[in-house]
Amino acid sequence: MVLELSLAQQASQFVGSLNVRSAPSVEKSVDELGQDAKNPEQSGDVVSISEEARALIAAEESGESGETAEDQEQDQLVQQLTEQIEELQTEIKELEEGDLPEKDKLSQISDKQTQLMELQDQLLKAQQADLKVDDMASGGGTRANGAGNDVASF
């Protein structure tokens, strides 16, 4: 019982010492002043957003992205190659299940598989180029920008 009381007192002292106070001088925008006029009884922390942050948010909300034309071209190329690969895989399955003579079937499947391998190679190269455009390493992650040999270059 005594132990519980002492723990309760310590807990209340700890909670009482955790007073969060807002900054004494914070500039308020017109919108924030309007909010204060509408809700004068609310008190607490005030967060102000810089004009640069507001511009970034506006650009993001309007659908503008940081993608360049080169990024978009790479994405389109990867998408086209992926679609072509899927079509070839479907054609190969249809040929395998088809009623063609075995000799013709094997010849056509071989041709389609050769095309498929070429497209997969192109897709791999396009994906690697896409990673380079995004400044990523081919194994994933970001590229290392080597460090110098002395302390001053860090």
Side-chain angles (χ1 to χ4, degrees):
M1 181 82 168
V2 173
L3 182 62
E4 291 175 8
L5 287 175
S6 66
L7 285 175
Q9 289 173 347
Q10 287 179 351
S12 65
Q13 289 174 353
F14 179 72
V15 170
S17 67
L18 291 177
N19 289 332
V20 178
R21 296 181 186 96
S22 60
S25 62
V26 176
E27 294 182 25
K28 294 185 178 183
S29 68
V30 175
D31 294 334
E32 293 168 338
L33 290 173
Q35 286 291 343
D36 287 347
K38 290 179 185 175
N39 302 323
E41 70 277 350
Q42 292 181 351
S43 63
D45 294 339
V46 177
V47 176
S48 59
I49 300 173
S50 69
E51 292 300 320
E52 294 145 359
R54 290 178 193 201
L56 287 173
I57 291 171
E60 188 175 296
E61 287 176 352
S62 69
E64 295 177 17
S65 64
E67 285 192 12
T68 63
E70 188 176 353
D71 287 341
Q72 291 174 350
E73 288 175 13
Q74 282 299 123
D75 290 343
Q76 288 176 351
L77 178 63
V78 168
Q79 176 114 12
Q80 288 173 349
L81 288 171
T82 304
E83 290 172 1
Q84 289 176 354
I85 287 171
E86 289 173 357
E87 288 175 13
L88 269 177
Q89 289 172 338
T90 304
E91 291 175 13
I92 290 172
K93 280 186 180 180
E94 289 174 357
L95 283 173
E96 289 173 345
E97 297 169 358
D99 295 334
L100 289 174
E102 197 64 30
K103 185 177 179 183
D104 292 337
K105 185 188 290 188
L106 290 175
S107 172
Q108 289 182 6
I109 289 174
S110 176
D111 291 341
K112 298 283 183 186
Q113 286 178 335
T114 303
Q115 290 176 358
L116 180 65
M117 288 173 47
E118 289 173 4
L119 285 174
Q120 287 174 335
D121 187 45
Q122 289 176 8
L123 177 63
L124 179 63
K125 289 178 182 176
Q127 287 173 334
Q128 287 175 342
D130 193 23
L131 289 174
K132 287 181 182 176
V133 166
D134 291 339
D135 202 24
M136 301 286 280
S138 60
T142 57
R143 293 188 193 194
N145 295 325
N149 292 333
D150 58 6
V151 176
S153 66
F154 281 100

